[in-house]
Amino acid sequence: MKNQFIIEKASRLGFEETVESLKNAAEKDGWSVPAVHDLQQSIAKSGKHVKPVKVIEICKPEYSGKMLELNDERIISVMMPCRISVYQKDDGHTYVSLLDGGALSGNLPPQISQIMKTASDDTFRLVALVEK
């Protein structure tokens, strides 16, 4: 699927190794990891079986605090925290997808746009560590 806002990268690592590498790299870079959602496990509870999918939530209060302290700009909280998805496809390989916050923020106030671009650049740097 091609989309200018959702970016997909192939990982050079296996599934669990990709998840752990991204979590560790995020924490080392000053991000917190409030949650990792195991979508495969959640879906299995409904009797459906899908290939492995985990969504890693990351948050950097340095960025989020600047946006949430502003009244009208608080609307952007719908996109928080940042998320990185790790999944396997039918080819057996592991992939990573993330939103391009810089591209998404084009029509937002300049201060918010800059924060989103900076946070997005950080997440792209994290993903580059596992990219093929």
Side-chain angles (χ1 to χ4, degrees):
M1 178 173 95
K2 299 292 180 197
N3 183 305
Q4 64 183 2
F5 301 118
I6 303 172
I7 308 302
E8 180 182 71
K9 305 283 187 173
S11 176
R12 61 181 171 72
L13 306 173
F15 179 77
E16 288 297 338
E17 192 178 2
T18 298
V19 171
E20 289 305 312
S21 293
L22 288 169
K23 286 174 34 184
N24 292 337
E27 289 172 344
K28 186 177 178 182
D29 197 41
W31 292 80
S32 65
V33 181
V36 176
H37 302 280
D38 187 335
L39 301 185
Q40 180 187 34
Q41 185 179 48
S42 296
I43 297 295
K45 291 176 184 175
S46 299
K48 301 283 184 185
H49 299 284
V50 297
K51 295 193 179 316
V53 180
K54 288 189 179 180
V55 178
I56 305 164
E57 290 187 359
I58 61 173
C59 178
K60 198 167 206 178
E62 174 186 337
Y63 302 146
S64 56
K66 288 178 184 177
M67 291 192 289
L68 296 177
E69 69 188 11
L70 303 170
N71 191 55
D72 290 336
E73 290 78 357
R74 210 168 286 133
I75 193 171
I76 202 67
S77 62
V78 73
M79 296 179 66
M80 294 177 179
C82 296
R83 290 173 168 80
I84 301 172
S85 182
V86 179
Y87 48 92
Q88 283 185 340
K89 288 187 175 183
D90 288 342
D91 63 8
H93 295 284
T94 300
Y95 295 84
V96 177
S97 66
L98 65 162
L99 290 175
D100 184 341
L104 282 169
S105 67
N107 292 328
L108 296 174
Q111 182 178 7
I112 297 302
S113 181
Q114 182 56 49
I115 295 167
M116 286 184 65
K117 181 176 180 346
T118 302
S120 184
D121 290 348
D122 278 7
T123 58
F124 276 101
R125 260 195 352 271
L126 296 173
V127 168
L129 298 173
V130 299
E131 191 176 334
K132 269 189 182 179

